[in-house]
Amino acid sequence: MLFEEFDPLKGKTLQILDQDGKIVNDKLVPKIKKDTLMKMYHTMVLGRIADEKALQFQRQGRMLTYAPNHGQEAAQLGSIAAMDDDDWLVLAFREMNAMLYKGVTLEQSFLYWLGNEWGSRFNDDVKVLPINVPIGSQISHAAGLAYAAKLKGTKEVAIAYIGDGGTSHGEFHEGMSFASAYDLPMIVIIQNNQYAISTPREKTIKSKTLAQKAIAYGIPGIQVDGNDPLAMYLATETARERALKGEGPTLIEAVTYRMGPHTTSDNPKLYREDSEVEEWEKKDPLKRFKKYLIDKKYWTDKKDEDLHETSKKEVLDTFKKVENSGEVDLEDIFKYTYESLTPELEKQMKYYQEFLNEEGAK
């Protein structure tokens, strides 16, 4: 019923919690346990502080590069919290909040952005694929996992994330088409953060919404306020129920905003106005979720101050540990692409080792 009511062609956007933290649709409030709500908020705060510090570390020359996700916390945590431990998380590169919630450690996340391959080696019980930088191919990976789950008859669902610009890439269409044709248990979250690097969403895609792309695949699509964690939870929970019934994939468009740069190589001040950013600051997902939790008597300003302090200490201590863990071993840079090194990679590794020897490095 939810997907029929919010059919993309009706021009409606699902919202339960407005930007002031007030419930605007009582009938649709999902039943979420207090522990889950608090885990969502704690992860939001930790992710926000880690994000801000990572940007500073990169500017100080202490981190190679980084893809900020400030502003997109609810789009990720509202959706991942509706998933089960046995479900698969298949991400692009801007989903640190979803990764933290699913069991990837902050230390592993920082290791990755410092160029250490061990940042992609998760514990066996953490069903998260490594960060996928090539645009769109994660949708094919998720379709493959969902296909395997269907063949094995397990109750696993694959949830994948992609940006608005990524929906123009070939592998997005290929993965969606395959998943819909075989009724695979897959959910795709489009994080529509309004820009494909520096290009406004309106200049990259003619369709009025991204959710309506679902119509071409013959599956449900829904546009959701991506800064509303409750709405994101409800849409994903409903999509997961469909998937477990064998009814196939669902496409969810989370309308959100990237408050920072695309990556640390980008300067958004060159292509967007400060006034636009200020308007989106009023829709900050953390502020509205905090207000909701306080109104429910689950949270207080004092607890919030304490959480920010402990989270800040955790971020600083973790980064210090990662930074002091030593240089990346040369072989680690080459040996994880294939099962065994190709002749070309062996040649490159030898060449670089000789270069380091000449420079007096190890």
Side-chain angles (χ1 to χ4, degrees):
M1 289 295 290
L2 183 75
F3 297 132
E4 292 172 5
E5 183 180 352
F6 288 90
D7 184 300
L9 294 183
K10 292 181 179 177
K12 297 171 67 176
T13 300
L14 174 62
Q15 185 187 62
I16 298 173
L17 198 64
D18 71 9
Q19 67 184 54
D20 297 318
K22 296 291 185 184
I23 297 293
V24 294
N25 198 330
D26 287 314
K27 294 179 180 177
L28 292 180
V29 177
K31 294 179 181 176
I32 308 176
K33 294 179 180 177
K34 179 182 177 181
D35 288 350
T36 301
L37 287 170
M38 297 318 304
K39 181 179 176 182
M40 290 165 64
Y41 185 69
H42 280 228
T43 310
M44 269 190 182
V45 172
L46 179 64
R48 173 68 64 89
I49 293 172
D51 192 81
E52 292 172 348
K53 290 298 178 186
L55 196 57
Q56 293 174 10
F57 296 145
Q58 197 279 335
R59 296 300 190 232
Q60 293 165 357
R62 299 163 69 188
M63 183 178 276
L64 297 180
T65 189
Y66 182 68
N69 58 102
H70 184 147
Q72 299 182 216
E73 294 89 350
Q76 296 172 28
L77 288 166
S79 50
I80 199 66
M83 305 300 287
D84 190 78
D85 288 344
D86 286 334
D87 296 329
W88 282 97
L89 167 59
V90 188
L91 60 149
F93 51 77
R94 202 185 301 283
E95 285 77 35
M96 183 169 69
N97 287 275
M99 294 173 75
L100 293 174
Y101 191 93
K102 198 81 168 82
V104 175
T105 66
L106 185 60
E107 180 178 347
Q108 289 166 327
S109 184
F110 280 159
L111 277 172
Y112 173 84
W113 291 109
L114 277 163
N116 191 323
E117 292 293 335
W118 287 101
S120 297
R121 178 65 177 92
F122 309 140
N123 295 339
D124 290 342
D125 61 343
V126 175
K127 300 178 78 169
V128 180
L129 261 57
I131 284 176
N132 186 76
V133 176
I135 308 300
S137 54
Q138 72 272 26
I139 307 304
S140 298
H141 301 161
L145 286 168
Y147 190 36
K150 182 168 184 174
L151 292 176
K152 292 191 296 183
T154 60
K155 294 294 183 184
E156 297 169 334
V157 178
I159 183 169
Y161 293 79
I162 191 167
D164 44 291
T167 65
S168 297
H169 282 238
E171 287 200 78
F172 170 78
H173 300 293
E174 292 158 10
M176 293 301 303
S177 183
F178 183 83
S180 65
Y182 287 90
D183 289 326
L184 302 183
M186 182 174 85
I187 301 167
V188 173
I189 308 290
I190 303 170
Q191 293 191 86
N192 175 8
N193 65 19
Q194 312 302 322
Y195 288 90
I197 307 184
S198 58
T199 306
R201 171 250 182 276
E202 293 78 13
K203 289 189 176 180
T204 59
I205 300 162
K206 282 287 187 182
S207 54
K208 188 170 289 183
T209 71
L210 300 177
Q212 72 190 65
K213 293 192 176 193
I215 296 168
Y217 308 115
I219 63 173
I222 186 170
Q223 188 179 64
V224 183
D225 178 344
N227 286 7
D228 175 355
L230 303 187
M232 284 302 300
Y233 186 98
L234 177 65
T236 310
E237 179 185 48
T238 309
R240 186 172 182 274
E241 289 170 357
R242 283 192 71 254
L244 292 177
K245 290 177 185 173
E247 296 176 1
T250 304
L251 187 62
I252 299 173
E253 177 190 357
V255 181
T256 182
Y257 194 77
R258 165 171 52 79
M259 299 301 296
H262 173 72
T263 67
T264 42
S265 299
D266 176 41
N267 180 7
K269 287 186 175 296
L270 296 175
Y271 56 83
R272 67 186 189 189
E273 300 293 330
D274 289 344
S275 57
E276 178 183 297
V277 179
E278 289 166 5
E279 282 303 306
W280 278 94
E281 283 177 344
K282 297 173 184 174
K283 304 173 184 176
D284 189 319
L286 265 73
K287 291 178 181 174
R288 70 167 74 174
F289 197 28
K290 174 188 166 185
K291 178 71 167 52
Y292 170 71
L293 295 174
I294 288 176
D295 287 347
K296 283 184 74 70
K297 310 296 184 189
Y298 287 173
W299 201 239
T300 65
D301 285 324
K302 177 64 173 66
K303 288 180 179 178
D304 204 60
E305 289 177 16
D306 293 343
L307 176 62
H308 275 75
E309 283 301 313
T310 55
S311 297
K312 182 179 178 181
K313 184 176 187 310
E314 180 180 347
V315 169
L316 294 176
D317 288 348
T318 301
F319 188 77
K320 186 176 181 181
K321 179 183 177 184
V322 170
E323 198 173 33
N324 293 333
S325 63
E327 295 182 1
V328 177
D329 188 74
L330 180 61
E331 287 191 355
D332 282 356
I333 299 172
F334 292 92
K335 70 181 182 183
Y336 296 116
T337 305
Y338 300 102
E339 184 177 10
S340 58
L341 281 176
T342 65
E344 177 59 29
L345 285 177
E346 282 189 7
K347 180 181 174 184
Q348 289 181 22
M349 188 169 72
K350 183 181 177 184
Y351 173 82
Y352 197 63
Q353 183 62 65
E354 290 173 354
F355 168 77
L356 292 177
N357 291 339
E358 289 175 4
E359 294 295 313
K362 68 176 183 179

